[in-house]
Amino acid sequence: MYCQQFHPGICRGASLRLVACLMITIFQGLPTADAQPKPSNDFAAMLATVREQTKLPGVAAVVVRDGKVVANGAAGLRKLGDQDVVTVEDRFSIGSCTKRMTGLMIARLVDEGKLSFETTLASALPDVPMRDEYRPVTIAQLLAFTGGISAYERIGPKITPHLFDTEGTLAEREARFVKQVLQEPPAGAIGKDARYSNASYMLAAYIAAKAAGKSYEALMDEYVFRPLAMTQTGWGRPRSAERPAQPWLHIDRPDGYIPEPDVIRPPEVIFRAAGNAHMSIGDLGRFAQYELAAAMGKDPLLKPATSKRWHGLEGRPPSERAIHAGGTPWLSACYAVWPKQNIVAAIAANGGSRDDHICKAFVQAVESSFFR
């Protein structure tokens, strides 16, 4: 699959069925780089078991119950063949878990009146030529995957050559892609068929940036990362020239995991709103805590009606267990929310998963070990 070879950051991420004082109360117990609870022997053993079962290179995880960290830890290596071990301060790519954060940013713009869930593509992009079918598509439909937008899960120079045209600035590349995708036939019945789509979230974020007059990255920092005290976040690979001591991605092959090559993958930056964020396991846990607060009707960032609309796009009662996963052959991440038990848990790994088995194994282990 081309997304395995050229674009490990934004393949399909499944959504499985499996401000001040309030925010301090909600988020103060989560791990930070300078204050880490020591993992219990049982939790360390659990992580080691998950890693052994899945043959993962490295993994980090956290469990929060009643607003307090009850377990967190890390196991394994940053890169197979090297000796550097994974730590809870390390950053991991989170794949399509990024979409939930992008959606929150857009919902906050709705609260400020800069966007509406009913904003249409025609009104938001009046100068962009598009097929007539797309003109009435709304922001809500883009976020719910019912806008008919092509999936763009499989990406490569042969099947999507337009994404590998790196001429011009990022803004120019994004504008070319928006024109391209809105000239493509709908992938399903608009307003009816829910078809998973990385391009759908790219479009929603592109519109948000235009409406706010700021870059996508600036909006995410202002409306999501800083308010939730997510201080160990970034874009692209966790490992870079500036941060060499971070986990490598590893592709899941039939004969085991292989570290990623040092190559540049041009399309990733265009799809950053769909799955290009990285962060520490503590920060992923903080966002899971936000999701739990919202599910319990205590959303610290959105007005009640806006929160109900945004979180209602999932199509399930907020009291039910929810698992959000971002997985590709190169990376794995997920967080789970159990409102009835007042528990959240998050896991991230520097190796891929083809069938979400890593997330499933972790969720089962948490339910077995931490439910009263």
Side-chain angles (χ1 to χ4, degrees), residues 7 10 95 98-99 102 170-171 174 202 205 209 215-217 220 235-236 267-277:
H7 207 311
I10 58 160
T98 309
K99 290 183 175 70
T102 297
L170 173 58
E174 288 180 326
M202 180 274 172
S215 71
Y216 167 74
E217 291 86 349
M220 292 296 287
W235 303 99
E268 283 194 357
V269 68
I270 289 180
F271 288 102
R272 60 202 182 283
N276 199 222

Side-chain angles (χ1 to χ4, degrees), residues 14-345:
S15 180
L16 306 174
R17 299 287 184 186
L18 288 174
V19 133
C21 185
L22 177 59
M23 287 177 56
I24 291 173
T25 300
I26 292 173
F27 303 112
Q28 66 182 354
L30 284 158
T32 61
D34 55 358
Q36 289 291 347
K38 293 182 179 180
S40 68
N41 291 334
D42 289 343
F43 191 64
M46 187 185 87
L47 281 185
T49 298
V50 170
R51 180 174 176 253
E52 177 61 28
Q53 289 174 345
T54 57
K55 308 301 181 185
L56 283 167
V59 62
V62 63
V63 180
V64 183
R65 182 172 57 204
D66 300 329
K68 297 180 181 179
V69 174
V70 293
N72 74 295
L77 301 172
R78 289 172 173 166
K79 180 187 179 185
L80 290 177
D82 288 352
Q83 299 302 313
D84 288 348
V85 298
V86 171
T87 75
V88 289
E89 291 90 356
D90 282 356
R91 301 184 183 200
F92 290 83
S93 295
I94 64 167
S96 286
C97 292
T98 309
K99 290 183 175 70
R100 295 294 302 169
M101 301 172 191
T102 297
L104 171 59
M105 177 272 288
I106 290 172
R108 295 205 68 193
L109 291 181
V110 169
D111 265 350
E112 290 191 354
K114 295 176 180 176
L115 275 179
S116 164
F117 285 119
E118 309 312 322
T119 297
T120 65
L121 288 176
S123 62
L125 304 172
D127 299 325
V128 176
M130 64 185 74
R131 294 173 65 104
D132 289 341
E133 299 100 315
Y134 290 129
R135 298 185 67 79
V137 169
T138 65
I139 293 292
Q141 289 173 328
L142 292 179
L143 298 178
F145 302 122
T146 58
I149 306 300
S150 297
Y152 279 87
E153 295 181 73
R154 299 177 66 245
I155 293 170
K158 293 183 179 180
I159 58 175
T160 58
H162 52 284
L163 284 174
F164 288 78
D165 177 6
T166 58
E167 182 180 351
T169 65
L170 173 58
E172 291 169 340
R173 291 175 58 201
E174 288 180 326
R176 289 200 302 267
F177 176 72
V178 168
K179 291 180 180 179
Q180 167 74 30
V181 77
L182 293 180
Q183 291 297 326
E184 296 170 356
I190 292 175
K192 297 180 180 179
D193 294 343
R195 301 288 180 88
Y196 193 89
S197 171
N198 289 310
S200 192
Y201 266 69
M202 180 274 172
L203 268 174
Y206 182 80
I207 291 169
K210 280 189 168 295
K214 297 180 180 180
S215 71
Y216 167 74
E217 291 86 349
L219 291 174
M220 292 296 287
D221 186 57
E222 179 179 353
Y223 289 106
V224 180
F225 297 152
R226 277 191 284 148
L228 297 183
M230 297 167 65
T231 60
Q232 295 173 287
T233 63
W235 303 99
R237 294 297 192 278
R239 180 182 59 88
S240 65
E242 295 76 23
R243 292 188 312 275
Q246 292 292 333
W248 291 56
L249 302 187
H250 293 74
I251 189 169
D252 183 13
R253 296 292 193 190
D255 56 347
Y257 284 101
I258 301 173
E260 65 173 337
D262 280 324
V263 297
I264 297 174
R265 298 174 175 87
E268 283 194 357
V269 68
I270 289 180
F271 288 102
R272 60 202 182 283
N276 199 222
H278 67 250
M279 60 190 58
S280 68
I281 193 63
D283 278 358
L284 187 57
R286 289 177 187 274
F287 190 78
Q289 276 286 85
Y290 161 77
E291 293 266 39
L292 175 64
M296 298 173 73
K298 301 176 181 178
D299 194 320
L301 297 181
L302 298 175
K303 296 176 182 177
T306 308
S307 180
K308 183 177 180 180
R309 180 72 185 279
W310 156 230
H311 294 283
L313 292 177
E314 290 184 278
R316 59 165 182 77
S319 60
E320 289 186 1
R321 177 187 68 178
I323 301 172
H324 297 282
T328 80
W330 298 86
L331 63 94
S332 303
C334 79
Y335 62 88
V337 178
W338 292 271
K340 293 180 181 179
Q341 290 79 19
N342 199 10
I343 291 177
V344 301

